[in-house]
Amino acid sequence: MGRPRTFDIDAAVDRAMELFWRQGFEGTSTEDLVEGLGIARGSLYKAFGSKEQLYAMALRRYCERHATGLIEMLDRAEQVRPAIRAALLEMAEADLTDPELGCLLVNAATERSAHQDTVRQVSRTMSQIESALAGALERAQARGDIAADKKPRELAQFLTTFLQGLRVMGKARADRAFLNNAVEVALGALD
């Protein structure tokens, strides 16, 4: 009979998420994971199967936290424009604070574009964000906050694409004025 697990799986996935987020999949070695998670190599493989499987769990965790937070904020928003502005400015501020970190979703899409499971996870999350934006924009249009001739689904596609571009520009060290101006120009599409 094997020894019982002596570490918290959820905490280990969180720490792995941080390592992959900061260092990327290729830049994070098994030794980095063993050291960062504070577990033996054998325990790492027994608990997670492989570095690849742990990465998939960490990426799912990131997507659940960040996409869910945005989706819930949009669902609760009484006015969509200030809610979208706040979300975009919050992302820009995070990138200004720590441009090396960026967005794990963008990092995953660019580093692992040839890995189908990663691409599926990124696409699924982007679709969830787009749907939440479309729903919020449809509700805003029904209230008269957005012109009747606007197409909420197309606006949601634009904003989803813009959001990821904003994250890339943050990682490229665009300054606050540039990022803030870009957010305001993007919000102009809602007029």
Side-chain angles (χ1 to χ4, degrees):
M1 185 160 122
R3 294 187 324 195
R5 187 174 293 136
T6 59
F7 64 94
D8 180 335
I9 291 284
D10 285 332
V13 172
D14 283 344
R15 285 193 299 277
M17 179 183 70
E18 292 169 14
L19 285 168
F20 288 128
W21 192 355
R22 189 158 297 280
Q23 298 173 197
F25 178 81
E26 293 298 329
T28 304
S29 69
T30 302
E31 288 307 313
D32 292 334
L33 292 167
V34 166
E35 184 178 316
L37 278 57
I39 61 176
R41 182 183 290 265
S43 295
L44 176 79
Y45 289 118
K46 186 172 182 176
F48 303 109
S50 67
K51 174 182 165 183
E52 187 76 46
Q53 288 171 304
L54 178 54
Y55 180 83
M57 291 174 73
L59 182 58
R60 266 193 311 277
R61 175 76 49 90
Y62 177 89
C63 291
E64 289 167 1
R65 285 188 181 160
H66 292 273
T68 300
L70 178 61
I71 291 165
E72 288 174 354
M73 183 270 306
L74 290 169
D75 286 345
R76 288 190 314 268
E78 291 186 28
Q79 292 188 318
V80 72
R81 188 182 310 260
I84 292 172
R85 176 181 282 115
L88 292 173
L89 290 174
E90 182 180 314
M91 290 174 203
E93 189 60 38
D95 291 336
L96 288 165
T97 302
D98 192 352
E100 288 290 320
L101 196 56
C103 170
L104 182 56
L105 202 60
V106 170
N107 298 350
T110 55
E111 181 186 17
R112 303 202 15 108
S113 63
H115 188 270
Q116 289 306 308
D117 288 341
T118 299
V119 170
R120 275 192 289 277
Q121 179 64 56
V122 169
S123 294
R124 189 170 35 251
T125 303
M126 299 289 26
S127 291
Q128 291 170 336
I129 291 168
E130 180 186 318
S131 291
L133 281 163
L137 292 165
E138 287 165 0
R139 290 187 301 276
Q141 192 173 51
R143 288 190 308 267
D145 296 338
I146 294 177
D149 65 334
K150 296 293 181 180
K151 296 178 180 167
R153 179 60 62 181
E154 289 177 8
L155 287 172
Q157 290 170 344
F158 164 73
L159 288 170
T160 301
T161 303
F162 173 79
L163 184 151
Q164 297 313 310
L166 182 72
R167 301 311 303 262
V168 170
M169 292 306 295
K171 195 160 182 150
R173 311 292 195 287
D175 65 17
R176 179 174 276 106
F178 177 93
L179 296 174
N180 289 346
N181 185 61
V183 167
E184 295 308 318
V185 170
L187 289 170
L190 303 179
D191 294 333

